[in-house]
Amino acid sequence: MRPLSPRDLAAALGVSESSLKRWIDSGRIVAARTEGGHRKISLVEAVRFIRETGAPVARPELLDMPEVAIAQGRAIGRDTLFDVLTGGDASAARGWLLSRYLGGTSIAELCDGPLREAMHRLGELWHHGSDGVFVEHRATDTCLQALAHLRNMLDVSAEAPVATGATPQDDPYILPSFMAATVIAEAGMRAVNLGPDTPVSAMQHAFVHHQPRLVWISASAPIAPERARELAHWLVSLPESIIAVVGGRAGATIAMEQPGVRRIDTMVELAAVVAGIVGHRAA
Amino acid sequence: MRPLSPRDLAAALGVSESSLKRWIDSGRIVAARTEGGHRKISLVEAVRFIRETGAPVARPELLDMPEVAIAQGRAIGRDTLFDVLTGGDASAARGWLLSRYLGGTSIAELCDGPLREAMHRLGELWHHGSDGVFVEHRATDTCLQALAHLRNMLDVSAEAPVATGATPQDDPYILPSFMAATVIAEAGMRAVNLGPDTPVSAMQHAFVHHQPRLVWISASAPIAPERARELAHWLVSLPESIIAVVGGRAGATIAMEQPGVRRIDTMVELAAVVAGIVGHRAA
DNA sequence: GTTCAAATCGTTCATATCGTCCACTGTAGC
DNA sequence: GCTACAGTGGACGATATGAACGATTTGAAC
C-alpha cells in the first residue's frame, strides 16, 4: 500500500497540487515526511479527509477507490488492464485507459500494448475455461465504452481528410475496427467505421459517398477464399491516390493476393500512415 | 472531468455568477466546498440541474459539449435524428442526442422515439436502396458512440444492484442490447452487457458471476426454435426473485414459450421495471 | 557507488472565488 | 401611482487557488 504523493491526491480530487500542499501545511490533511522532506499521505488519511470534508472525488480510479480495495490495501496502479477487464468493472477500465491516456500514452500505443495483450489473454481463456466466452463478451463491451469515451474527447477538424473502413462479411469482431477508427481519429483524420459483417458492396458505397483518402480493412476471423478475392479485387481497383491498408490476424489472406495493398500489423503503424497523409496535406 | 466553478457554470448558462452562487446556497444546486470554501460543482450535478429546471444552455462548449452548440445552431428541431444519421456526421448525431437529453428527455424516451424511428427508417432503406447497408452500418457505429457518451455521463453507485443481458447467438445486432444497457444504467442499476451473438452458456456464467437482480435479452433477428427453447428454458429456471425480461422484434418467440418471462416492448417500460427494483431496494 | 530523469520541494505572483452590500427590474396587491 | 417583495446582476476588499520557478530529493539503471 504505497502512500500517495500530493500530486496523486490532487489529481484524484481535481484540485491543484499547490492547494493540496497548503492543506497539508495547514494541518487539514495529515501527512508524513520523508527524510528529504517529501510529503507522503496514507490512503486511510486520504479517505478520512474525503469523508469528513465531503470533497468531491473527480477521478476515483486514481485512488483505486472502492472501499473494499482500500480495506484490502491493494496497491495503486498495480493492476494490469487485463485484471481490470476480467474484473468486469466498466468504469474502472475506463479510468485505467483514461489515466494512461492523460499520462501521455497515445491511443495507438494503448491499443498495441495493454489492450492487445488483454484481449489476447482473454482469447486464451476462451480456449481454456468454459466461462471464457462470457468474460470476452463483457470485456468487448467494456472496451467499446472506454474507446468511445476516448474518441469523444478527440476533436477532429471537419475539413480533415476522411478514412473509411470495416470488418469483412461473416467476421463478427467489433472491437478491432472500432479501435482502428479511434486511432485514425486520434491521428487527425475523420474516421467512418462500418463495423463488423460488412459486405464489399457497402464498402463501395461508403467509398463513393465519402471519397476517402484511406481505406482500412480489419479482418480477424478466417475469411473464405472467394470473399478474400472479392475484397482484394476491389482494393486493387481503387485509384492509386487512395491508400488501402489491411490489418488483423486474417488480414494476410487479403493483402497477400495483391501488391498495392498495404499490410499493417500494429496501430502505431496505422497512426504513422495517417500522419503521413495528414502531414502531406498540411504541407 | 474537473469540477465546475460557479463562474464556469454561470457562463455556460448565461446567468450571472451572483445568481449561481445564490442557487447553490439555497440548495437548488448541490455543490461541494474546498477546504478554503470555494464551491465545486460536478458535471453530473450540472446536467441534473439543467435537465430538471429546463434551464437553457447558452454556451455548451464551456461544459465540454461543443457538439451541442452546433446541433442547436442549425435550427434545432428542423433536422430529425434520421437526417443527421443519414448525413453521417458522428459528432452532429452526438450533439443532437445530447441536446435533447439536456433538454430533459430521458435516454429511454430518446431510444423509443427518435432512435427507434431513425433505425426503422434506415432498415427500410436497406430494403429499397442498394446503399442501405452502408448507411445502416455507419449509423450503427455513430449511435454506439453517442450512446456510450451518454452512458459515460451517468453515475451509477457501485452498490447498485446489477443487471446482465445480451443478444442471443446468431443474432448480430449490436445496438438494441447496448441501448438497453444504457437505459438500465440511467434508471440506476449497474448494467453488464454481453453484446451480440452470445450463447446461453455465457449468459449463465454471467449470471453466476454477477448475481444480477434482472436479466435482459434483446432479440432482433429471427431465432431458431431450438435456441428459443433453450433460452426460454434457462430463463424459467432462474430463481423467482430474478426478473427476466425479453425485448425486440424476435423477443415474442422466446417470451411466448413460458410465462414468468416478461415481454417488453419499449425502453420506457424497461426503465420502469428497473425503477421498481431500485425503488424497492431503497425502501 | 555514480549517474540521471522524474518527482517533489518551497516560494512567488497573477487570477479566481469568497461573502457581502446595493442598485435595478418585474410583479402583485392595494 | 405606490409599496412590498423577490429575484437579478454588478462591485467591493479579503482570501483561496493554480501555475510557474530554480533547488533539492528520490528511485532506478548501470
Side-chain angles (χ1 to χ4, degrees):
Chain A
M1 124 138 146
R2 199 181 82 209
L4 295 161
S5 71
R7 170 184 277 200
D8 294 335
L9 188 52
L13 294 181
V15 300
S16 75
E17 195 183 323
S18 293
S19 294
L20 210 86
K21 288 194 286 188
R22 244 188 309 267
W23 297 347
I24 292 172
D25 294 344
S26 68
R28 291 183 272 206
I29 298 177
V30 177
R33 295 277 189 156
T34 64
E35 274 304 305
H38 286 199
R39 301 169 181 87
K40 292 292 173 189
I41 309 142
S42 73
L43 212 39
V44 256
E45 170 64 8
V47 171
R48 181 204 62 78
F49 176 77
I50 292 168
R51 279 260 174 82
E52 287 189 9
T53 64
V57 182
R59 292 172 53 196
E61 69 273 10
L62 296 186
L63 292 179
D64 212 7
M65 214 4 218
E67 269 93 343
V68 217
I70 290 175
Q72 292 169 350
R74 235 164 70 200
I76 295 168
R78 275 272 179 245
D79 282 353
T80 65
L81 180 59
F82 175 78
D83 296 328
V84 176
L85 282 177
T86 48
D89 182 345
S91 81
R94 224 166 48 219
W96 197 99
L97 284 168
L98 191 53
S99 68
R100 310 291 151 139
Y101 177 66
L102 293 177
T105 313
S106 72
I107 298 177
E109 290 164 343
L110 286 170
C111 288
D112 285 338
L115 257 171
R116 169 180 280 198
E117 189 209 324
M119 293 312 287
H120 183 258
R121 286 178 64 188
L122 285 169
E124 300 275 303
L125 275 189
W126 191 89
H127 287 300
H128 294 328
S130 67
D131 59 351
V133 180
F134 148 54
V135 180
E136 195 210 9
H137 276 232
R138 187 182 57 179
T140 296
D141 189 73
T142 303
C143 288
L144 268 187
Q145 286 180 60
L147 282 172
H149 194 181
L150 291 176
R151 193 169 168 188
N152 285 329
M153 293 178 56
L154 305 172
D155 88 288
V156 181
S157 146
E159 283 80 31
V162 178
T164 63
T167 299
Q169 196 161 10
D170 298 327
D171 182 336
Y173 286 91
I174 305 171
L175 210 44
S177 190
F178 200 88
M179 280 174 28
T182 309
V183 166
I184 288 169
E186 178 189 36
M189 285 177 82
R190 283 183 293 158
V192 174
N193 176 29
L194 302 186
D197 200 18
T198 301
V200 173
S201 64
M203 301 185 198
Q204 289 170 330
H205 276 108
F207 183 82
V208 171
H209 186 275
H210 285 289
Q211 298 285 324
R213 289 287 322 274
L214 171 70
V215 171
W216 85 85
I217 306 289
S218 171
S220 302
I223 189 167
E226 323 86 74
R227 290 225 180 287
R229 259 197 299 282
E230 186 193 9
L231 243 176
H233 184 262
W234 174 59
L235 290 176
V236 173
S237 75
L238 295 175
E240 286 198 3
S241 60
I242 310 301
I243 301 178
V245 301
V246 176
R249 275 200 306 284
T253 328
I254 302 163
M256 265 169 94
E257 308 238 345
Q258 288 286 352
V261 178
R262 179 156 171 194
R263 162 100 187 121
I264 283 211
D265 285 306
T266 68
M267 290 295 167
V268 170
E269 245 179 283
L270 177 58
V273 171
V274 174
I277 296 171
V278 175
H280 200 262
R281 268 284 167 107
Chain B
M1 276 290 126
R2 231 177 49 194
L4 297 160
S5 72
R7 171 182 276 199
D8 294 335
L9 187 51
L13 295 181
V15 301
S16 76
E17 196 183 321
S18 292
S19 293
L20 209 85
K21 288 195 284 188
R22 245 189 310 270
W23 296 345
I24 293 173
D25 293 343
S26 68
R28 297 205 273 166
I29 298 178
V30 177
R33 297 279 191 150
T34 67
E35 272 302 297
H38 286 199
R39 301 169 182 88
K40 296 281 182 187
I41 309 142
S42 72
L43 190 55
V44 264
E45 171 63 11
V47 170
R48 182 203 62 77
F49 176 78
I50 292 167
R51 283 168 49 79
E52 288 189 8
T53 62
V57 184
R59 298 180 52 194
E61 66 274 15
L62 297 183
L63 296 179
D64 248 347
M65 305 179 184
E67 320 90 340
V68 174
I70 298 165
Q72 293 176 345
R74 57 169 74 139
I76 190 166
R78 281 286 170 230
D79 282 354
T80 65
L81 180 59
F82 175 78
D83 296 329
V84 176
L85 282 177
T86 47
D89 182 345
S91 87
R94 229 165 47 219
W96 197 99
L97 284 167
L98 199 48
S99 73
R100 308 293 153 137
Y101 179 67
L102 287 179
T105 313
S106 70
I107 298 177
E109 289 165 343
L110 287 170
C111 288
D112 286 338
L115 256 170
R116 168 179 280 199
E117 189 209 323
M119 293 312 286
H120 183 258
R121 287 178 64 188
L122 285 168
E124 300 275 302
L125 275 189
W126 190 88
H127 287 299
H128 293 329
S130 67
D131 59 351
V133 179
F134 147 55
V135 179
E136 195 210 9
H137 276 232
R138 187 182 57 179
T140 296
D141 189 73
T142 302
C143 289
L144 269 187
Q145 287 180 61
L147 282 173
H149 196 180
L150 290 175
R151 194 169 169 187
N152 283 329
M153 293 181 52
L154 304 172
D155 111 275
V156 181
S157 146
E159 282 81 31
V162 177
T164 62
T167 298
Q169 197 160 8
D170 299 328
D171 182 335
Y173 286 90
I174 305 171
L175 211 42
S177 190
F178 201 88
M179 281 175 25
T182 310
V183 166
I184 289 169
E186 178 189 35
M189 285 177 82
R190 284 184 291 159
V192 174
N193 176 29
L194 302 186
D197 200 18
T198 301
V200 173
S201 63
M203 301 184 197
Q204 289 171 330
H205 275 109
F207 182 83
V208 171
H209 185 276
H210 286 287
Q211 298 285 323
R213 288 287 323 275
L214 171 70
V215 171
W216 85 87
I217 305 290
S218 170
S220 302
I223 189 167
E226 323 86 74
R227 290 225 181 284
R229 260 196 300 280
E230 186 193 9
L231 243 175
H233 184 261
W234 174 60
L235 290 176
V236 173
S237 75
L238 294 176
E240 286 198 6
S241 60
I242 310 301
I243 300 178
V245 300
V246 176
R249 277 199 306 283
T253 328
I254 303 162
M256 264 170 96
E257 308 237 345
Q258 290 283 354
V261 178
R262 179 154 170 196
R263 163 94 187 125
I264 283 211
D265 284 307
T266 69
M267 290 294 167
V268 170
E269 246 179 283
L270 176 58
V273 171
V274 173
I277 296 172
V278 175
H280 200 262
R281 267 283 169 104

